[in-house]
Amino acid sequence: MGIKVGVCGTGAFARNFIPLFKAHPLVDGVVLCDLDAAKLAERAGQFDIHDTCPSLDELCQTDVDAIAIFTQNWLHGPQAVQALRSGKHCYSAVPSAITMDEIAELVKAVEETGQTYMIGETSYYYPCAIYCRDRYAKGDFGQIVYGEGEYYHDWDHGLYDVAKWRGGDKWRETGGSPPMFYPTHSVSMIVSVTGAHAERVSCFGFVDHHEDGVYDPAVNMWSNPFSNQSALFQMSDGSMMRINEFRRIGHPGTVGMSLYGTQGSYEEQANAKAWVTKSRDQIEDLSELLAPVGVAAKPEGEMAAVTSADGTHLGCSRVHDVGRLPKEYVGLPNGHLGSHQFLIDDFVTACVAGAQPANNVWQAARYLVPGLIAHESAVRGGELLAMPDFGDGPSTGKGE
C-alpha cells in the first residue's frame, strides 16, 4: 500500500523532485500546490499531474498522506509544523527552520503527532560523506580528532537570481540572512559520519561592505552585517569541528569536507580527494571513485559509467548503492551529486514502513542548531556559547 504526496511549492527546485515522487512505486498519487496559479498550471501540465491545490491551508485538508515543502527557506519551519499537526508526514527542503523557537516547535510536533518528518539534506548522500561513513564504521579513522566542512557560494554564482525568485521586490530584505542560518550542507557532512553533536561554539563574522547592500543591517530583516562566517565547535566525542559559510569569496564554489582521525584521514583540496594515513608513502587518490559519473542500475562487478540510454542512475558515483533504488528511477533527473533519488526513496519508504529516516527531525536539529548558535556567537564578538541539543531520537531507518 502506497502513499499520496502533496508537493507544496512548485518552483525551480521542486521541479527536480516532482518526477521522483511521481515515479516512485510506493506513491499512489501526487498533488501539486502553489499560491501562484499560473505557475501551478504550468507545472501541472509539464508533469501531467491533474490534481492541484491553491494553498497549503487547503492541501492540509485533503486526503494526501504526506506533504513535501519546497517554499521559501524562511517558511519551512512553521509550514512543516502545520503539515505535521494536520496529520501529514512531512518532507522539507533545507533549512528545517531559522530560529531556535521554530526548531523546538518542529521537534515537539514530531514527538506529539508521531508523524514522519525528514529533512532533505543533500550533503548526506554526497559521495565523500558516504565514503567517510563507511570507513568510519570500519574503524579506519580511529578516534576522530578534527573535522571541517564548508559551503562556499559567491553571490555572483546565481544567488542574485535565487534571491529575486524567492523575495520578489523585497529580495534584499530576505536575501541578507546570516550565512550560519544555512549551515546544514556543511555540518551534516561531519555529524552524519561521526554521530557526534556540537556542544560549544565560538564564531566570527566578516562584515560586508558590498555596494549591493544585501548585508546592510538596516536593510535585511535579520539586521545581519555578515556575508562570511567561520565557527569552531567542541563536539560531544571530544573532537573539534570547523565550519565555514561564505557568500563573498573568490572561489568557484564548493560543498566539501575533510575529516582527520588518529589512524586515518580524508582530505579535500579544490578538486582533489584523498585518503591518507600515518604511513607517509600511502596516499589513495579518490577522485575517480567519488566522481558523479552516473552508474549502471544493475552493475555486474565494477560499476562502470554508462549513458542514460543504457540505464544510468544519473549523477551517482561508484560509492552510491544504486541497487537499493527503484528501477523506475533509471534515467530520471538526479542532482546534488546523486542525492535526490536517495532522499525521496528514503522519505517514501519511511512513511510506508512507519520507520524513522536517517535524516529525521533530531538529526535535522543537529544540522541546524550549530549554525543558529554560531551566529549568536558572532554577534557577540566570538563569545563561547553552549549548544542546546534535542537528543538522539529513536533509531533510524535505512542508510545509503
Side-chain angles (χ1 to χ4, degrees), residues 332-347:
L332 287 186
N334 208 350
H336 284 88
L337 301 185
S339 65
H340 290 183
Q341 294 185 1
F342 287 90
L343 290 171
I344 299 308
D345 183 58
D346 275 359
F347 178 66

Side-chain angles (χ1 to χ4, degrees), residues 60 64 102 111 158 216 222 230 242 249 268 273 338 368 375:
C60 287
V64 298
E102 285 183 2
E111 292 175 341
D216 183 342
W222 293 274
S230 293
R242 187 273 294 154
I249 182 171
E268 290 187 7
K273 300 172 175 63
L368 174 75
H375 175 66

Side-chain angles (χ1 to χ4, degrees), residues 155 160 163-164 167-177 211-216 219-222:
W155 271 85
Y160 287 109
K164 291 172 184 177
D169 293 339
K170 298 182 178 181
W171 67 271
R172 285 182 177 83
E173 294 180 24
T174 57
S177 62
E211 62 185 11
D212 63 17
V214 170
Y215 295 105
D216 183 342
V219 172
N220 67 70
M221 60 189 288
W222 293 274

Side-chain angles (χ1 to χ4, degrees), residues 287-312:
S287 300
E288 183 176 351
L289 177 69
L290 303 184
V293 292
V295 293
K298 296 181 179 180
E300 295 180 3
E302 287 296 315
M303 287 188 275
V306 292
T307 68
S308 59
D310 293 326
T312 303

Side-chain angles (χ1 to χ4, degrees), residues 291 293-299 303-306 311-320 322:
V293 292
V295 293
K298 296 181 179 180
M303 287 188 275
V306 292
T312 303
H313 285 289
L314 301 174
C316 288
S317 74
R318 292 172 177 84
V319 298
H320 282 98
V322 298

